[in-house]
Amino acid sequence: QVQLVESGGGLVQAGGSLRLSCAASGTIFTVNAMGWYRQAPGKQRELVAAITSDGSTNYEDSVKGRFTISRDNAKNTVYLQMNSLKPEDTAVYYCNANIRPKALWSTSRNYWGQGTQVTVSS
């Protein structure tokens, strides 16, 4: 069974920083792209940042220059460093990863973490 476990959310003042972590565990063959999404109250879930297995990244326009996504392939972990946080960054942040489990005839599919709350006060 594959699981994504997130940590690092919390309450921070505007201009502050937080670092989110998401570790994939279980019987894993390969971890492909990984990413972070967020969902604010009353809004649709949106992609914040993504990273491929070879380290290529892309970011949602509003976080460019403030957020950095990275990964540790040896630990099957993805990180999101968030700097210069703004109140509009307040949301539940979800980790997503495309993973192929280590099982006969398995195929890759997307997995989601449970979500972690990030609240930025003004």
Side-chain angles (χ1 to χ4, degrees):
Q1 189 77 356
V2 174
Q3 285 187 317
L4 298 180
V5 179
E6 301 153 353
S7 61
L11 172 64
V12 65
Q13 287 188 330
S17 298
L18 284 174
R19 188 190 194 213
L20 305 183
S21 300
C22 171
S25 63
T27 51
I28 295 171
F29 183 66
T30 56
V31 180
N32 303 310
M34 305 182 82
W36 289 94
Y37 288 71
R38 67 185 178 187
Q39 187 166 20
K43 295 188 177 181
Q44 289 189 330
R45 190 173 297 189
E46 65 175 359
L47 176 66
V48 176
I51 185 168
T52 63
S53 56
D54 63 359
S56 297
T57 60
N58 70 282
Y59 296 91
E60 194 268 330
D61 286 345
S62 70
V63 307
K64 287 180 180 177
R66 301 188 297 121
F67 291 10
T68 302
I69 190 170
S70 60
R71 63 189 286 170
D72 184 333
N73 290 333
K75 296 180 179 179
N76 290 333
T77 299
V78 63
Y79 306 96
L80 185 68
Q81 178 66 44
M82 305 185 292
N83 299 328
S84 302
L85 282 160
K86 303 176 181 180
E88 50 264 43
D89 294 318
T90 296
V92 178
Y93 284 69
Y94 296 92
C95 173
N96 175 272
N98 186 266
I99 296 173
R100 181 181 174 186
K102 188 181 294 183
L104 192 62
W105 309 118
S106 71
T107 58
S108 297
R109 73 170 186 90
N110 286 328
Y111 292 83
W112 290 92
Q114 78 282 5
T116 185
Q117 177 71 46
V118 171
T119 302
V120 184
S121 64
S122 58

